[in-house]
Amino acid sequence: MPGPGLFPAIGQTPLIYLNGPSAATGCAIYGKAEFMNPGGSVKDRAALAIVQAAEAAGTLRPGGLIVEGTAGNTGIGLALVGNARGYRSLIVMPETQSQEKIDFLRLIGAEVMLVPAKPFKDPGNYVHVARRVADERAKTEPNGVLFADQFENLANRNGHATTTGPEILAQVQAITGKAPDAFTCAVGTGGTLAGISAALKASAPTTKIFLADPHGSVLYNWATGGELVSEGTSITEGIGQGRVPGNLAGVALDGAVRISDTEALTVVFDLLKHDGLCVGGSAGINIAAAMQVARTLGPGHTIVTILCDGGARYQSKLFNPEFLRARNLPVPSWLA
């Protein structure tokens, strides 16, 4: 009988004390090091939960096909989990995503379909294209097709409610003897924020939950005023929304914070130079939000956030001086 293989390596990531952000705010700010998952991001957890739920439901059989529309990280997680379980993967991505993610998906054996970046209301949006591709392939695939549907598939948030949330609670309690005072997280599918917040609120109702949002997303205005209105734009990938995904429905929020690309990049570069951590733009949004929350709560509080993935996945953008200067964004001193 085959052993457990890849699956036990997903999750149980370290909780890292972030020296620079903590010193700047007088609070203890911790980052959950999700870039240490096998696929390099927090999305490995959603991929595992979705595949396990499909297997339990009999949707997937050996040799079956997984289809998903993704900015990249969920696709990477699904492809790796699929490889470990004998499934193939077809990933539909907006062509604007980083070349590093596109190349890595192909490297690990996924079939990649690139489509123009279009809003969700457009039938050409990558999620809609993926759904149509899955429906079409289901007609000829003898071992079944799973449309992972990460935005609406509640296995996503349930996976975080049963793993990531309890891990954070146990780790913080082991350090401080109590639950975290606050948790911040950006939203792509909503699964990470909704699942973790459900677990934290169930065990520690006083923990405050804050949505972190980039410009160009409607979720800050939705969370603070109930309107699906966006302002500005952002270079961050995989987070921010023009709608409220099913995984986010019913989330219990205590507030929301909007973060600019300049704020996020400043955090990313400072964290690399002074803390030795190389993270992506979504982690920069999360940490900058945690710092804003820390300043609001005042010194002495404990705030946790998610380090979603690593910076090397965005070398051609976040660490490309020409790309940054063209958008009037800060350039790290060592690359200037």
Side-chain angles (χ1 to χ4, degrees), residues 75-298:
I76 290 169
L78 286 168
L80 292 175
V81 170
N83 287 351
R85 298 291 285 178
Y87 311 125
R88 294 164 294 121
S89 301
L90 192 164
I91 305 302
V92 182
M93 290 178 68
E95 59 191 6
T96 52
Q97 302 309 291
S98 75
Q99 191 63 44
E100 290 85 355
K101 286 190 289 189
I102 296 169
D103 289 345
F104 190 68
L105 274 163
R106 288 175 172 149
L107 179 154
I108 60 178
E111 181 181 348
V112 178
M113 179 183 295
L114 299 178
V115 298
K118 295 184 177 181
F120 186 77
K121 63 183 179 182
D122 191 302
N125 175 271
Y126 67 102
V127 175
H128 302 318
V129 173
R131 188 185 299 275
R132 291 197 297 272
V133 168
D135 289 343
E136 188 63 29
R137 293 289 287 266
K139 298 174 184 176
T140 57
E141 286 289 339
N143 297 307
V145 173
L146 169 66
F147 175 51
D149 200 15
Q150 59 173 325
F151 294 91
E152 308 302 322
N153 189 335
L154 299 188
N156 177 352
R157 76 179 185 190
N158 293 341
H160 286 289
T162 56
T163 67
T164 328
E167 286 174 31
I168 289 172
L169 186 63
Q171 287 169 319
V172 173
Q173 287 177 331
I175 297 166
T176 68
K178 59 184 183 67
D181 296 299
F183 173 74
T184 67
C185 188
V187 165
T189 66
T192 305
L193 177 63
I196 292 173
S197 65
L200 292 177
K201 287 288 190 181
S203 297
T206 58
T207 298
K208 296 185 181 299
I209 307 297
F210 292 86
L211 184 154
D213 211 32
H215 287 269
S217 170
V218 304
L219 295 178
Y220 173 81
N221 284 327
W222 167 76
T224 56
E227 295 184 295
L228 295 177
V229 178
S230 66
E231 300 169 42
T233 60
S234 175
I235 65 168
T236 53
E237 297 184 13
I239 58 170
Q241 275 295 336
R243 61 190 176 104
V244 180
N247 270 289
L248 195 61
V251 67
L253 296 175
D254 295 286
V257 180
R258 184 156 55 195
I259 303 295
S260 70
D261 284 348
T262 295
E263 289 176 273
L265 286 171
T266 299
V267 167
V268 167
F269 301 150
D270 285 350
L271 200 70
L272 179 53
K273 186 172 183 178
H274 301 294
D275 280 67
L277 293 170
C278 184
V279 298
S282 53
I285 294 279
N286 285 348
I287 298 166
M291 294 172 72
Q292 282 202 27
V293 169
R295 293 185 177 108
T296 300
L297 296 180

